[in-house]
Amino acid sequence: MTKSNRASRASRPSRPSRPSRRVLAVASGGGHWEQLMLLRPKLEEYDVRFATTDADIALQRGIAKAETLPDCNQNKPFKSALCAFVAAWVVVKHRPHVVISTGAAPGFFCLMAGRMIGARTLWIDSVANGEQLSMCGKLSKRFAHQCLTQWPEVADEPRVKYRGAVL
């Protein structure tokens, strides 16, 4: 290679890097959120957005722009319907490539909305569920691309896998 060829190659603009994968990481407050935060160092390699049921817990971790979802459960059907609607809006707004949740119902609703737009989905059941999957975990194993448990005895390959514990 001649000097002029090297110089012309060096002056060319570099190829733009691929856009980072967009990840929506979702968890209810409390233990679900704490487990998600343990994954945060790895998640921040991507274009990550967080969603939770309590904006204050996100702020405590320095996450200023977390999406806030209504807290809900199976005993509050109207609040659950509202949460499902808000979850769908958050997913459409951010158009993630991947949706990850450590639980509970608000995470499941985001996972379902993500699945509907073609995102890859990952459910990580709470470490607190050592004897059986949570209710949302049982639903997620049918819909998520991947469903993980943090207890080897709860895994029932191929639907629910054990790959270690977050805690």
Side-chain angles (χ1 to χ4, degrees), residues 45-75:
E45 293 177 16
Y46 304 96
D47 179 11
V48 65
R49 299 289 183 264
F50 290 96
T52 187
T53 55
D54 183 351
D56 290 338
I57 64 171
L59 285 173
Q60 289 171 1
R61 295 296 186 122
I63 302 169
K65 294 184 178 182
E67 297 288 344
T68 305
L69 301 164
D71 202 1
C72 65
N73 60 48
Q74 66 184 357
N75 299 322

Side-chain angles (χ1 to χ4, degrees), residues 57-95:
I57 64 171
L59 285 173
Q60 289 171 1
R61 295 296 186 122
I63 302 169
K65 294 184 178 182
E67 297 288 344
T68 305
L69 301 164
D71 202 1
C72 65
N73 60 48
Q74 66 184 357
N75 299 322
K76 299 178 182 180
F78 293 111
K79 201 143 189 190
S80 293
L82 174 63
C83 183
F85 178 78
V86 173
W89 171 249
V90 167
V91 168
V92 167
K93 176 180 171 183
H94 293 290
R95 294 274 179 197

Side-chain angles (χ1 to χ4, degrees), residues 96-126:
H97 298 109
V98 177
V99 178
I100 297 173
S101 181
T102 52
F108 172 73
F109 290 133
C110 285
L111 184 136
M112 291 302 298
R115 183 76 194 228
M116 288 195 273
I117 67 159
R120 299 292 296 175
T121 54
L122 171 63
W123 178 268
I124 303 171
D125 212 44
S126 172

Side-chain angles (χ1 to χ4, degrees), residues 141 145-147 155-161 163:
K141 79 177 185 178
H145 288 97
Q146 186 87 28
C147 183
D156 68 352
E157 300 275 351
R159 286 183 171 231
V160 180
K161 297 176 179 154
R163 296 290 184 259

